[in-house]
Amino acid sequence: MTERLIYLPLGGAGEVGMNAYVYGWGEPGAERLVLVDLGVTFPDMDSTPGVDLIFPDTAWLEENRDRLEAVFVTHAHEDHVGAVGHLYSRLGDVPVYARKFTAIHARRKLEEQGFDAGRIVRVVGPMEGVPVGQMTLSFMPVPHSIPEASGMLIDTPAGRIFHTGDFKLDPDPVVGEGFVEEDWRAAAGDGVHALVCDSTNVWVPHPGRSESLVGPNIRELVAEASGMVVATTFASNVARVQSMIRAGQEAGRSVCLLGRSMQRMVAAAKEAGVVEDFPETVDLEDARDIPRESLMLVVTGSQGERRAASAQLSRGKYLGLTMAEGDTFLFSSKTIPGNERGVLQIVNAFSEQGVDVVSDEETAYHVSGHANGPDIQRVHEIMRPAMVIPMHGEHRMLRKQAEMARAAGIPSAVATNGTMLDLTGEAPKVAEHIEAGRIYKDGEVQIGALDGVVRDRIRMALNGTCVVTLIVDEDGDVLGEPWVELMGLPAEGRSGPLAETMEARLGATVDALSPKQVADDDKLDDALRKAARAVSNDEIGKKPEVIVVVSRLS
Amino acid sequence: MTERLIYLPLGGAGEVGMNAYVYGWGEPGAERLVLVDLGVTFPDMDSTPGVDLIFPDTAWLEENRDRLEAVFVTHAHEDHVGAVGHLYSRLGDVPVYARKFTAIHARRKLEEQGFDAGRIVRVVGPMEGVPVGQMTLSFMPVPHSIPEASGMLIDTPAGRIFHTGDFKLDPDPVVGEGFVEEDWRAAAGDGVHALVCDSTNVWVPHPGRSESLVGPNIRELVAEASGMVVATTFASNVARVQSMIRAGQEAGRSVCLLGRSMQRMVAAAKEAGVVEDFPETVDLEDARDIPRESLMLVVTGSQGERRAASAQLSRGKYLGLTMAEGDTFLFSSKTIPGNERGVLQIVNAFSEQGVDVVSDEETAYHVSGHANGPDIQRVHEIMRPAMVIPMHGEHRMLRKQAEMARAAGIPSAVATNGTMLDLTGEAPKVAEHIEAGRIYKDGEVQIGALDGVVRDRIRMALNGTCVVTLIVDEDGDVLGEPWVELMGLPAEGRSGPLAETMEARLGATVDALSPKQVADDDKLDDALRKAARAVSNDEIGKKPEVIVVVSRLS
């Protein structure tokens, strides 16, 4: 048999974020391809200052776009659907398949980038097979923390793959279908060929907890609260949002949703029909007139995002609403590593206002949307795979799940972004390594992660910037003195004003140059740059980034 | 009585870090002052890129330096002693008191800044009173996570203050004196006048755990390990380091200490005599020749610091040593919020090398050095204070401890940096608010947090930088075209190369200016800056920082 089954993660394997997994069947190098998910990851000041969003580098897919048949989106979280619009033009004119709720989001992403989304996005029901070449793909509902989350059943000539997507084993997820072991066993049949499985929480040693446990605790908290109650969670967790609204209403409060994504998610859930009898909420205008002890707000910004409602409220009056002593603020969420500072800033700001902040992660008021270690083990047992490929996780998570599989005698491979596996046989084999990188959305343009743009920004942030200008006249003589402008540098050095000291020393540098050196752009630039860094280092102990501009009159 | 007792935090109250607390006795505005601790806090890329260290702003103390009598340093952690050298010249020629181990560090800090530390630093034994005006201060040993940690007993005409310093209630801290309730009761007498108390862990609901519980777990882990074992913790936790070395030796391994601060702390502990029979370690040269299964390294870098030993080892060969498959790496530490990314980078790098990483915070392999909620409550009960002033903590922590005190009927006040309290009477009163800010060590100079230097760096990191140069000739005519240089900006915009597009549009801007506008520096600068930002926004959706340099020939 010369045809083969390949698996190639372009994002999400070796990190949590920007999921993008390629599957293909066919002769080597001529496989027909599908892409499962096309998500984003978020920038941070440490490594990607000024960047707006981060996408997987789809260069390999672009080179092979004639072989790409379709994109399937498992669910509507940004790290799975967020790049569909931004990268669509790179993929060729392929259909994007999704279930109803997810499709609403995929369409919006495409429309925002000017595509005719109605033509591109195709809604598929659960377990409804979509034939793609010799493969057939079906969305299999899995519980997660967003409506209509799905795994992919991928039937291939080599057997069935179960790509879990993000999932947990929750029999009662409040919104949507719960975990039913018999259904999963039925999908597994005599055992799937390959289980490609979420690894996010593999290190968590206890079984995951059900979404249904959270509602009663929130209800109790709200019932006992006296002032205004404000609660935040991920807007996409429609089940949680619903539990919050019900808790408020049972306590006799009117509930108002704040934040654009909160409104949007609830609207999409209603449109897709994933929630029945979704409780009524009040508008902002009405909320302003309701006494605080009769009001509850459900707001965005659980990760401390500066512009979201939580942060805005912590800084004072927001949309006519102000928190006050005796009010309660609930974080019904887990702080994602890296967001701690932003969240703590909010907590402390509320503390200064006398607001009681309740945040107790992963116990009373929050449960994770991902399967924990024992749950993953259970899925290995239920699906009886011939091989396990860990995905969706940092390296330490992938490795942990691979070890778990191997300990049970199941072949496994840790394949990070860019590692193409051949899954045709009885065990995964590395077929090829391709370049897998990142694309940055910077303002309205896309740049490569290795273009040096962000590196320069980091250097300016760490070292400050110094501009040196010099004019050379028609005869090749230096006109006047070098001029120095500083940005992000201390004004005073050891000997006095830094710019003046630098200009004096750079003047001396220029005086010492031969006419030949002055005539040579590179040499002159180099001499000025080196001198500027040296003087600055002497004066303040820092070597700034230097921009040299030599103007030659002619 | 016209004299009064004042308390003024300049750092550490409203944050965890850069501790600096002023106490004074005397007539209002003429109190004789002492400073307890003078520490640093650490910069981060989000808010203080390029900054080396952060100090409390001591401007108020400088203005009142004639009234400052002495500095007392409670223990040798950087957030308590780190700024003593850097800020000493601002304080006048005052003595610095510390116990032996702490004094070694204080002396080094002063010597590094060129002071005659031997003359300045005075070693004081535990409970040995130091008279300062009408106050007497004594170091009272308290268990913490560093040798010779101490609280301050401050006897004043208004009564005794117990300033806890950083502490926990550990009866068996492995190194140094354990908590003995009778001693604390004796110090309290009929109850102290004011308890100024560490708030770091006040939110932790269970009693703190003893340092002595960690050693056996490490011993077990090392005994079962097969390859090389590497363990990291704060170098200053000499008890932990000692437990690690003993664990290695009991498992038949030679132990080598890696990292400058590790060597330095152990040397200081030996010099101060705080450890008896400190176990022998091997030198790096010898370690290289020892088979990996017989070797254990105890290394710096538990917080993921890029240049420390842990990070270096995770990136490959370091000082001739390389981690390999089957080795074990132990984080015997808690990751401080904000350091998660750096630590996870190390964990994942080790995962790629097949190294087993063990990190299980606050249970088997680590205990905190701070008293938890119930411990703080117990201290309130033991010391029977007339008032409780929470210190050393973020606002939410200070507030929590104040609530705890008030619930027990003890007056309390949340006083953040710059809030001067009058503690003379039966309850704390706010006496005054003074400006309390931060000083940045930037390279080798000190700058104010509000100087705008760091703000400019952050803007350059977020927005990129654009330099626009223009030459105006002797007649006031523009010579040639504006020239644009970019740094940290995408090279390509919608219409093509960004710099070229900007130059063309800026040329048009200049052409449209009247001679009067060209002659006016501010107007010309403003026109070029606005145009540059507008073009860039059109082309790439970002408005960069703009540096305009106009050269006028004369």
Side-chain angles (χ1 to χ4, degrees), chain A residues 182-511:
Chain A
E182 297 84 78
D183 294 349
W184 288 49
R185 286 200 183 278
D190 297 331
V192 294
H193 179 67
L195 174 67
V196 182
C197 188
D198 181 4
S199 311
T200 314
N201 279 357
V202 68
W203 280 94
V204 182
H206 57 80
R209 297 165 63 251
S210 169
E211 180 66 34
S212 61
L213 299 173
V214 179
N217 294 325
I218 296 178
R219 210 173 317 152
E220 199 176 323
L221 181 80
V222 179
E224 287 170 8
S226 46
M228 183 158 71
V229 177
V230 184
T232 183
T233 189
F234 276 117
S236 53
N237 194 334
V238 174
R240 187 75 52 83
V241 172
Q242 183 178 288
S243 297
M244 287 172 169
I245 301 173
R246 294 233 160 100
Q249 293 179 341
E250 284 178 32
R253 291 169 183 266
S254 300
V255 181
C256 175
L257 303 180
L258 277 197
R260 202 172 38 163
S261 63
M262 197 61 77
Q263 315 269 6
R264 185 185 280 161
M265 280 290 166
V266 169
K270 288 178 181 170
E271 185 186 337
V274 296
V275 286
E276 292 161 26
D277 308 325
F278 196 80
E280 287 295 313
T281 56
V282 299
D283 288 340
L284 177 61
E285 288 77 62
D286 299 327
R288 291 199 195 106
D289 298 329
I290 296 170
R292 54 197 321 109
E293 64 277 9
S294 302
L295 183 62
M296 174 168 174
L297 309 177
V298 176
V299 307
T300 52
S302 64
Q303 297 303 311
E305 304 93 326
R306 278 192 64 75
R307 287 179 209 169
S310 298
Q312 302 266 20
L313 280 168
S314 80
R315 291 196 290 267
K317 196 166 184 172
Y318 176 59
L319 302 175
L321 296 161
T322 317
M323 301 286 286
E325 177 136 16
D327 288 350
T328 301
F329 190 97
L330 169 65
F331 281 93
S332 177
S333 53
K334 179 178 186 294
T335 304
I336 294 171
N339 295 341
E340 290 85 0
R341 281 208 194 87
V343 170
L344 283 178
Q345 228 162 48
I346 294 176
V347 175
N348 283 306
F350 281 137
S351 178
E352 288 176 32
Q353 296 163 25
V355 173
D356 291 311
V357 177
V358 180
S359 76
D360 116 342
E361 304 183 345
E362 193 58 34
T363 54
Y365 305 110
H366 179 66
V367 295
S368 172
H370 294 272
N372 291 351
D375 307 318
I376 291 171
Q377 181 100 50
R378 195 171 158 204
V379 171
H380 290 193
E381 287 157 18
I382 292 171
M383 302 307 289
R384 285 179 296 154
M387 63 188 83
V388 167
I389 313 298
M391 61 148 180
H392 202 285
E394 299 166 12
H395 193 281
R396 67 195 172 101
M397 303 165 183
L398 306 183
R399 182 164 171 252
K400 177 83 171 173
Q401 185 172 184
E403 280 170 6
M404 183 188 279
R406 288 185 196 125
I410 310 171
S412 185
V414 173
T416 51
N417 297 342
T419 302
M420 185 193 289
L421 294 181
D422 180 340
L423 307 183
T424 324
E426 289 176 2
K429 274 186 296 201
V430 174
E432 200 180 328
H433 288 284
I434 67 126
E435 281 291 327
R438 293 170 162 224
I439 296 170
Y440 296 155
K441 174 171 185 283
D442 195 51
E444 295 300 329
V445 300
Q446 294 180 8
I447 56 178
L450 303 178
D451 287 2
V453 171
V454 170
R455 179 203 58 204
D456 283 349
R457 282 188 208 150
I458 293 172
R459 286 182 180 167
M460 290 191 291
L462 294 176
N463 308 324
T465 302
C466 163
V467 179
V468 179
T469 55
L470 186 72
I471 302 176
V472 179
D473 71 12
E474 297 85 342
D475 305 324
D477 294 328
V478 171
L479 208 58
E481 298 283 315
W483 182 264
V484 169
E485 293 273 347
L486 306 177
M487 189 172 258
L489 284 165
E492 294 288 318
R494 289 180 214 272
S495 326
L498 179 58
E500 288 177 25
T501 310
M502 292 181 75
E503 284 168 356
R505 290 262 307 262
L506 289 174
T509 303
V510 170
D511 290 345

Side-chain angles (χ1 to χ4, degrees), chain B residues 40 72 96 110 118 143 180 206 220 238 272 326 403 406 409 429 438 458 461 472 488 505 516 520 523:
Chain B
V40 303
F72 289 79
V96 173
L110 284 159
V180 179
H206 56 79
E220 199 176 323
V238 175
E403 281 170 4
R406 287 185 196 125
K429 277 187 292 201
R438 294 171 161 221
I458 292 172
V472 179
R505 292 263 307 263
K516 210 173 152 186
D520 184 322
K523 288 221 170 73

Side-chain angles (χ1 to χ4, degrees), chain B residues 11-25:
Chain B
E15 70 199 325
V16 174
M18 61 172 214
N19 293 276
Y21 306 92
V22 178
Y23 291 92
W25 174 265

Side-chain angles (χ1 to χ4, degrees), chain B residues 243-367:
Chain B
S243 298
M244 288 172 168
I245 301 173
R246 294 235 159 97
Q249 293 179 342
E250 283 177 32
R253 291 170 183 265
S254 300
V255 182
C256 176
L257 303 180
L258 277 196
R260 202 170 38 163
S261 64
M262 197 60 78
Q263 315 270 6
R264 188 185 276 162
M265 279 291 167
V266 168
K270 287 178 182 172
E271 185 186 334
V274 296
V275 285
E276 293 162 25
D277 308 324
F278 196 78
E280 287 295 312
T281 56
V282 298
D283 288 341
L284 177 61
E285 287 79 61
D286 298 328
R288 291 199 194 106
D289 298 329
I290 296 169
R292 57 197 319 110
E293 64 277 9
S294 303
L295 183 63
M296 174 168 174
L297 309 178
V298 176
V299 307
T300 53
S302 63
Q303 297 303 312
E305 304 93 326
R306 279 191 63 74
R307 289 180 208 168
S310 298
Q312 302 266 19
L313 280 168
S314 80
R315 291 197 289 268
K317 195 166 183 170
Y318 177 57
L319 302 174
L321 297 161
T322 317
M323 301 286 286
E325 178 136 14
D327 289 349
T328 301
F329 190 98
L330 170 65
F331 280 93
S332 177
S333 53
K334 179 176 185 296
T335 304
I336 294 171
N339 296 340
E340 291 82 1
R341 281 208 193 87
V343 169
L344 283 178
Q345 230 164 47
I346 293 176
V347 174
N348 283 305
F350 281 137
S351 176
E352 288 176 32
Q353 297 163 26
V355 172
D356 291 312
V357 177
V358 180
S359 76
D360 120 340
E361 305 183 343
E362 195 59 33
T363 55
Y365 305 111
H366 179 67
V367 295

Side-chain angles (χ1 to χ4, degrees), chain B residues 18 38 59 98 102 150 218 222 230 253 379 535:
Chain B
M18 61 172 214
L38 191 52
T102 311
S150 305
I218 297 179
V222 179
V230 184
R253 291 170 183 265
V379 171
V535 188

